[in-house]
Amino acid sequence: VIILLNARTAMLFGGIVFLACMVLCCFGPNRRQNRILFAVLAAAAVVCVAAVWAAMGTQDFFAFVSNMLRFDQGDNSRFERWADGWKDFLSAPVFGVGFMDGGASDPSVYSNMYHNIFVQMLGAAGIVALLAFLLHAVQVVILCVRKFRIGRLLVLLGAAAIILTSFLDNFFFYFPVQLFYGAFLAAAALMLEK
């Protein structure tokens, strides 16, 4: 799903979650093979990043990373969208201004979003939505730690990838992504019941 989204932030946070899953697999039943695979992939990743960094130079490399995360795109920068979300929250703190006012002039509801799940909750739906979301997050953590199992944690890391991606984008609100998010949570809940 992360690769099919073809979004830079999805690939970044998907990579972080993939790394976490690889580390967790190093403590599972096939730990010897997984540790070898992890070491090979980690070494390959370090070599690739070092090669790109050396080829680009330090200044261009960090400019590329900044562009990848869309921190420097003028009127559509993340910082400006987040500031708009904060202003919208201050103008309607309890229930927000709604999802059609996201700080951008594009008529699409998704393009109109603030590109940060917490700012989106605050700006569009107010403190009520943020508190509901935080309650949901606490319940997901409880689902993870109750009768802890690595397999269930790995499934929940799929849901975590969607949340992490939504720190710099708005994928959490896309309907197809919500289907996967719900499926990850349902699978983890079923694993708990077995």
Side-chain angles (χ1 to χ4, degrees), residues 3-115:
I3 292 171
L4 289 175
L5 286 173
N6 194 25
R8 294 173 277 192
T9 53
M11 287 184 231
L12 171 71
F13 288 111
I16 291 169
V17 169
F18 177 72
L19 179 64
C21 290
M22 293 274 304
V23 169
L24 288 172
C25 285
C26 289
F27 300 98
N30 298 323
R31 65 181 135 243
R32 185 169 184 265
Q33 296 93 333
N34 289 338
R35 288 175 181 170
I36 292 169
L37 178 62
F38 177 76
V40 169
L41 289 176
V46 168
V47 168
C48 288
V49 169
V52 169
W53 193 335
M56 294 178 81
T58 300
Q59 186 173 359
D60 287 343
F61 179 78
F62 285 109
F64 169 77
V65 171
S66 179
N67 181 51
M68 184 184 83
L69 299 177
R70 295 188 186 136
F71 285 136
D72 62 350
Q73 291 188 347
D75 294 339
N76 268 340
S77 78
R78 297 290 191 248
F79 298 126
E80 289 180 20
R81 286 182 182 243
W82 299 344
D84 288 342
W86 184 251
K87 287 179 206 166
D88 286 346
F89 165 68
L90 293 177
S91 71
V94 178
F95 294 111
V97 297
F99 280 86
M100 284 305 291
D101 179 17
S105 58
D106 192 309
S108 163
V109 69
Y110 294 121
S111 297
N112 243 10
M113 292 187 167
Y114 305 110
H115 289 69

